[in-house]
Amino acid sequence: MIKDTDADRILVVVPTYNEADNITAVTSRLRSAVPHAHLLIADDNSPDGTGKIADELAADDDHVHVLHRPGKQGLGAAYLAGFRWGMERGYDVLVEMDADGSHRPEELPRLLAVLDRGADLVLGSRWVPGGRVVDWPASRRWLSRGGSAYSRLLLRLPVRDVTGGFRAFRLRTLQGIGLEDVESQGYCFQVDLLRRTVERGFRVAEVPITFVERQHGASKMNRSIVTEALWRVTAWGLRSRLRPLTRL
C-alpha cells in the first residue's frame, strides 16, 4: 500500500553558508534516504564555493535545485525564501534540515511517517525519550535545553524541543500561520513558527532524533542569535498574557 507521503511532493529546504565540506555528503544521504523527495539548496552567496558545488549537484540530479541568494541574510530569511519557492511550485510537504550533517537524513522517513498519520507539523526532537545529542559540550547542551524550557513555559507550548530545526510541515500549515509577518531569525525563527502553528490549532508531534555535532566548518551560533531569541520570546510571552486583559 502506498503511503500518502510517497505520493506527496516533498521538498527539503537546506540553507547553506560556507558548507562546501558538507553539502555533497548531505545531498547524497538525503537522496538515498528519501529518493522521491526533492532538495532545494538555498545558498547565501557562500564565499567558499558552496553555491558552485550545489549547481554541479543540481546539474547531475533533477531532484536537486539551487536558490542563489545575494548574501548572508540569516537562517529565517533563507527558510522563508525556500518555503516560498516550494509553495509556488506546488509541493505538499516542506522540510527544514541543516546542511552540516547534524540532522541525519536517514531519520527523515520517521518524521514523514508521523506526518502521514495526521500531524500538521512534525519536529525532530532531541529532548524527548529516545532523542539525544552527540559530541556537544555541556554548555551548549544546557543552552539548548534552557532555551527550549524558557520558551516552552513562557509561551505555553506543548512540546519538549522548541528550538530544533529538523521539521516537516504540511503545505496547509505554512499557508495558515502568516509567513508574511515573520521577521525572526536563528533559533528564534524556529520558536516563532512553532508558536504560530500551536496558536492556530494545528496538530504538532515530536519524533526522537539523534543530533550529531558538525564535523566540518563552524557553527553559525553567536551571541546576537541568543539575544534576539531571548527578547523576542519574552515579548511574545508577555503579549500573550496581556491579551486577555485588553479584552475585558
Side-chain angles (χ1 to χ4, degrees):
M1 178 179 177
I2 190 168
K3 295 291 187 181
D4 289 345
T5 46
D6 291 332
D8 286 338
R9 297 191 68 216
I10 299 168
L11 180 69
V12 182
V13 181
V14 176
T16 56
Y17 185 78
N18 287 349
E19 297 290 356
D21 292 333
N22 296 310
I23 193 59
T24 299
V26 166
T27 298
S28 176
R29 291 170 62 189
L30 175 66
R31 295 290 293 116
S32 295
V34 191
H36 62 286
H38 285 233
L39 167 64
L40 175 66
I41 302 168
D43 184 66
D44 277 7
N45 196 24
S46 299
D48 72 345
T50 302
K52 181 176 183 296
I53 296 172
D55 285 336
E56 293 168 354
L57 293 170
D60 291 336
D61 188 340
D62 63 4
H63 278 52
V64 179
H65 314 277
V66 185
L67 177 61
H68 290 284
R69 291 161 43 76
K72 190 176 182 181
Q73 299 173 12
L75 182 69
Y79 272 127
L80 290 175
F83 289 159
R84 285 192 293 269
W85 189 96
M87 294 165 76
E88 289 168 358
R89 288 160 178 79
Y91 287 91
D92 306 296
V93 173
L94 295 104
V95 177
E96 295 183 21
M97 194 179 79
D98 285 352
D100 59 11
S102 296
H103 299 147
R104 301 195 300 176
E106 295 78 13
E107 295 186 307
L108 180 54
R110 293 196 292 112
L111 274 68
L112 297 175
V114 175
L115 203 70
D116 187 61
R117 292 199 290 269
D120 298 306
L121 165 61
V122 181
L123 312 177
S125 179
R126 299 159 292 183
W127 310 128
V128 295
R132 66 191 185 109
V133 171
V134 177
D135 293 334
W136 260 13
S139 59
R140 183 78 183 273
R141 190 183 301 267
W142 282 110
L143 176 63
S144 179
R145 277 188 175 275
S148 277
Y150 181 75
S151 301
R152 182 175 70 250
L153 294 173
L154 196 61
L155 302 177
R156 292 174 282 201
L157 299 173
V159 300
R160 301 295 299 177
D161 195 342
V162 176
T163 62
F166 194 12
R167 302 177 169 191
F169 291 87
R170 281 283 177 194
L171 171 62
R172 61 175 175 261
T173 309
L174 291 176
Q175 290 173 328
I177 62 175
L179 291 180
E180 64 278 3
D181 299 326
V182 174
E183 297 178 351
S184 49
Q185 298 294 324
Y187 279 161
C188 192
F189 174 79
Q190 308 298 3
V191 179
D192 195 358
L193 263 59
L194 176 59
R195 75 176 182 93
R196 289 167 179 262
T197 301
V198 171
E199 286 176 356
R200 287 157 177 79
F202 289 106
R203 292 161 293 182
V204 180
E206 289 184 275
V207 171
I209 62 166
T210 297
F211 183 97
V212 182
E213 176 66 331
R214 66 161 60 237
Q215 299 299 308
H216 305 286
S219 171
K220 310 303 189 295
M221 171 62 69
N222 57 48
R223 182 172 295 182
S224 65
I225 290 174
V226 176
T227 301
E228 184 207 13
L230 180 61
W231 78 258
R232 282 193 185 271
V233 168
T234 302
W236 291 330
L238 292 175
R239 187 170 61 197
S240 69
R241 282 161 169 74
L242 291 173
R243 189 178 299 136
L245 297 178
T246 65
R247 296 173 181 169
L248 295 178

